Amino acid sequence: MIRQLLALDGVLVICHFRDDGALVEGYGMLGEDMMERLAKFAHDYKRMVQGNTDQFSMFTGLPGWAPPRGWNVRGAQCTVCSVGNLVCFIDNAEASLNEVMRELTCASQY
């Protein structure tokens, strides 16, 4: 199912990881060891974002911040995007961030 996301322009890698950060499946231009590292990074970053969002909601009393739906970390040439337990690595010059996040959101609901 997630392999179809590689058809989007600019998507270089797509991975599905478990709640403990272990790689379930991954497809794309990175080796297995790098996909495992990407999955671990996504797991750890997801937990950090969740903690920050929970604190923000608690201290401000504003509804609608938790749980976070997804996140991305943008670099000069590439971006890491994640929704749920899916993470992908995209080329900024070729990919549409809005399209990738929309498709990740749809795929994460299966």
Side-chain angles (χ1 to χ4, degrees):
M1 173 66 197
I2 66 169
R3 182 178 276 178
Q4 295 171 351
L5 294 172
L6 284 174
L8 296 174
D9 290 338
V11 174
L12 304 174
V13 176
I14 179 72
C15 296
H16 178 215
F17 57 94
R18 292 192 319 224
D19 286 336
D20 65 356
L23 180 67
V24 174
E25 60 182 326
Y27 306 100
M29 301 174 75
L30 293 179
E32 184 79 17
D33 60 327
M34 291 300 288
M35 287 187 199
E36 288 173 0
R37 292 173 66 190
L38 179 61
K40 180 68 173 145
F41 167 76
H43 169 266
D44 293 347
Y45 202 86
K46 176 182 173 181
R47 297 296 173 225
M48 184 180 67
V49 168
Q50 180 67 54
N52 290 342
T53 305
D54 289 345
Q55 287 180 354
F56 183 75
S57 294
M58 182 178 68
F59 290 129
T60 63
L62 298 172
W65 292 96
R69 292 190 188 118
W71 54 267
N72 57 64
V73 177
R74 186 174 177 93
Q77 297 173 348
C78 296
T79 299
V80 177
C81 307
S82 183
V83 176
N85 284 9
L86 297 177
V87 62
C88 69
F89 191 70
I90 65 172
D91 182 335
N92 293 342
E94 296 180 24
S96 164
L97 185 58
N98 289 335
E99 181 182 16
V100 170
M101 292 302 285
R102 183 174 46 252
E103 293 300 323
L104 272 176
T105 300
C106 289
S108 72
Q109 297 171 354
Y110 287 102

